[in-house]
Amino acid sequence: MRVSRDEKDKTHARIVEGAARLLRERGLEAASVADVMREAGLTNGGFYRHFETKDELLKAALEAAFEECYLALESRFEKETPAAAAAGYRAHYLSDAHRDNPGYGCPVAALGGDVARATEALKKAFGTGVNRIITALAAGMRGGQREKRDRAARELAMLAGATMIARASDPETARAVLAACRSKSKGR
Amino acid sequence: MRVSRDEKDKTHARIVEGAARLLRERGLEAASVADVMREAGLTNGGFYRHFETKDELLKAALEAAFEECYLALESRFEKETPAAAAAGYRAHYLSDAHRDNPGYGCPVAALGGDVARATEALKKAFGTGVNRIITALAAGMRGGQREKRDRAARELAMLAGATMIARASDPETARAVLAACRSKSKGR
DNA sequence: TGTACATCAGTGAACGCGCGTTCACTGATGTAC
DNA sequence: TGTACATCAGTGAACGCGCGTTCACTGATGTAC
C-alpha cells in the first residue's frame, strides 16, 4: 500500500536512525538489512525503495551517527568554557555508560575497525567526521592554532583507543585502562 | 592420507600463523575457515582435525598475534634504554608501514573493534595481551610504579586509536592524525 | 471540485551465494604381536 | 625386525542457514482532465 511523501520521508529517517544505532552495536556487516528494516517496523523488501544498496545505507547511517555525536559535542562548547567542555567530553567518553552503550556513542570507537576494511566512500565519510570532532575539540586545548589541533587529534585517538580497548577486554583490564586515561592532566 | 604427528603439529602451526595474519587483515568474521585453510595449503574439511569450532581458532590466532607483537616489543627493551625502546615502539606504531600492513601489526588496533562484539573467551585473551603490552611499555615511562602503568595504558590507547583512525580515514586525515601523535612529547 | 488512472511505498516469498560444519572416503602412519 | 590391522590427517562434496537482492503483488497517494 502506497504511503504519502511525508510518510516516506519519516520512514527514511527512521531507517537511517535505527541503522545508525544498530551498526554501532553490531558492526557494519553483522547488522543485516532485514534487522534494520525490522527495527524501523518494516519488512526487508521495502528497503530498496529507499537505498540502491546496503552500502548506501551504511554511508547515510555513518554520517547520521557522526552528526548526532558532533551535535552533542558542539552543545557542550555552547554551555561551558572551552576547557570545561573538553574536560566534560573526556569524562563522558571514558564513562562506564559510554563504554556499555556503543549504540548511542561515538562512531570512531564503535566503527573505526570496521570502516578500516570498508569502501573508500565510507572512509571519506569517517575522515570528515573525525575532522569535525577534532576541530570542535581543538577549541578546548592549549597552545597555538596548530598545536591545538594536534592536541585535539591526540585526545580523540586516546579516547577512541581507550574505549575500544575497554570494550574488547575483560572487565578488570577495561576498568584499569579507562581509569588511567581519566587521570591524565588536561590539555596536554 | 594420514600424516605423521610431527607433520600435523607443523600444519597446526601453519594454520594458526596464517590465521593470525588473515584475521588482522580482514577481521574476525570476514576471514573464512576455507580462506584460512587455503592460506595453509589445505582444504576446508581438514580444519576440524585441528579445532572444534572456528571460535577456537580465533582464540588461538589472537593469542599468536599478541605473542608475535609482544616479542617484537620485548626485544626493543633488550636492545635499548627503556626510554629509547618506548620511543622506537611509538615511531614504529605510528609509521606508514604499520598503518598499511595490519596483517603483521598490533592486534589491538586491528581487532579491537571486532573483539568488542565477540565472546568473553576472546575478550579475556585480548585483555591479557593488552596487559602484557602495558607492562612492557611501562618500563619506558616516567614516574612511580602506578604512574608508569597509567602512562603506558594511555600511550597504548593513543597509539591504537590513532592507527585505527588512520586506517579508517581518507589519506589526508590519516596523515594528519598520525603526524599529530608522532609529535607528542615523550613519557607524558 | 470530482473522477479515472498511473505511480510507487511497502509486503513477503524467492533467488543465488558463501558461510560454518558434517560426512564418506583415502591411504600413510602408528601399534600390537 | 616384519607383518596385519586400526587409526586418523587431509580431501572435497554436501548440509542447512542467513545474507543482500529481486520480484510480483497490493492498495493508498498523486496527477491529469
Side-chain angles (χ1 to χ4, degrees), chain B residues 64-93:
Chain B
F66 266 113
E67 185 68 21
E68 182 188 314
C69 178
Y70 179 72
L71 288 179
L73 173 57
E74 211 174 27
S75 88
R76 283 182 188 277
F77 279 88
E78 283 166 4
K79 290 183 203 143
E80 300 178 283
T81 65
Y89 187 68
R90 182 195 289 175
H92 167 258
Y93 209 116

Side-chain angles (χ1 to χ4, degrees), chain B residues 1-2 8 11 43 45-46 49-50:
Chain B
M1 34 179 123
R2 194 176 179 179
K8 188 189 179 181
T11 300
T43 56
R49 296 285 172 194
H50 292 275

Side-chain angles (χ1 to χ4, degrees), chain B residues 12-175:
Chain B
H12 190 92
R14 219 164 61 239
I15 294 171
V16 172
E17 276 159 41
R21 182 172 62 74
L22 223 55
L23 291 184
R24 280 175 283 179
E25 282 173 2
R26 306 192 192 169
L28 298 183
E29 307 289 317
S32 75
V33 168
D35 285 341
V36 167
M37 291 302 274
R38 203 176 302 119
E39 194 68 22
L42 301 165
T43 56
N44 57 340
F47 178 80
Y48 296 87
R49 296 285 172 194
H50 292 275
F51 303 96
E52 293 217 341
T53 62
K54 186 187 177 183
D55 234 64
E56 206 176 292
L57 166 71
L58 295 185
K59 183 155 180 284
L62 183 63
E63 284 168 351
F66 266 113
E67 185 68 21
E68 182 188 314
C69 178
Y70 179 72
L71 288 179
L73 173 57
E74 211 174 27
S75 88
R76 283 182 188 277
F77 279 88
E78 283 166 4
K79 290 183 203 143
E80 300 178 283
T81 65
Y89 187 68
R90 182 195 289 175
H92 167 258
Y93 209 116
L94 298 173
S95 70
D96 290 358
H98 184 232
R99 179 196 61 197
D100 296 337
N101 295 283
Y104 300 94
C106 179
V108 178
L111 295 173
D114 285 15
V115 176
R117 303 175 213 112
T119 61
E120 292 305 314
L122 274 187
K123 292 191 188 182
K124 184 81 194 153
F126 192 93
T128 301
V130 164
N131 271 313
R132 289 181 70 189
I133 294 175
I134 290 174
T135 301
L137 218 45
M141 299 291 154
R142 304 201 202 111
Q145 189 93 336
R146 168 67 188 278
E147 185 142 8
K148 277 170 174 278
R149 269 196 79 84
D150 279 0
R151 285 194 201 282
R154 293 197 293 266
E155 174 81 359
L156 180 60
M158 186 194 75
L159 295 177
T163 299
M164 180 184 68
I165 291 170
R167 288 176 181 158
S169 298
D170 56 284
E172 180 49 34
T173 304
R175 193 204 55 72

